[in-house]
């Protein structure tokens, strides 16, 4: 198999983004409110949101999929 595809997860809530490190986005209440209000899903992505598309891409169900970019972003690309 020589399939080519890419998944593009948006800002995803992980241990790194939940930490108190200076580069962490979630502790900023203003940015958190902006993201929740702007995203059609109304929430941050989680690692679990990536599982379904990843399993599908690894399965025979996607064997004819090639050259695609799959946005896993709660709808953010449609509003930004």
């Amino acid at each position: 198999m020589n399939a080519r595809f890419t998944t593009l997860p948006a800002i995803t809530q992980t241990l790194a983004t939940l930490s108190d490190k200076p580069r962490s986005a979630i502790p900023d209440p203003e940015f958190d409110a902006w993201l929740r209000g702007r995203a059609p899903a109304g929430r941050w992505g989680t690692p679990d949101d990536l599982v379904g598309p990843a399993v599908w891409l690894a399965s025979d169900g996607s064997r004819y999929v090639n050259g695609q970019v799959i946005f896993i972003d709660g709808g953010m690309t449609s509003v930004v």
Side-chain angles (χ1 to χ4, degrees):
M1 180 193 299
N2 194 13
R4 304 261 189 262
F5 47 79
T6 302
T7 58
L8 292 176
I11 298 171
T12 304
Q13 200 171 41
T14 65
L15 291 177
T17 58
L18 289 172
S19 73
D20 58 359
K21 296 176 184 175
R23 299 191 69 199
S24 177
I26 294 177
D28 179 349
E30 188 175 319
F31 183 73
D32 180 56
W34 176 86
L35 185 129
R36 289 175 188 274
R38 184 81 178 196
R43 63 178 179 80
W44 288 84
T46 67
D48 289 340
D49 294 323
L50 308 176
V51 172
V55 168
W56 176 70
L57 286 170
S59 76
D60 281 343
S62 69
R63 70 180 173 266
Y64 204 62
V65 174
N66 196 5
Q68 299 301 308
V69 176
I70 300 173
F71 294 92
I72 305 169
D73 66 358
M76 284 297 286
T77 53
S78 68
V79 296
V80 174

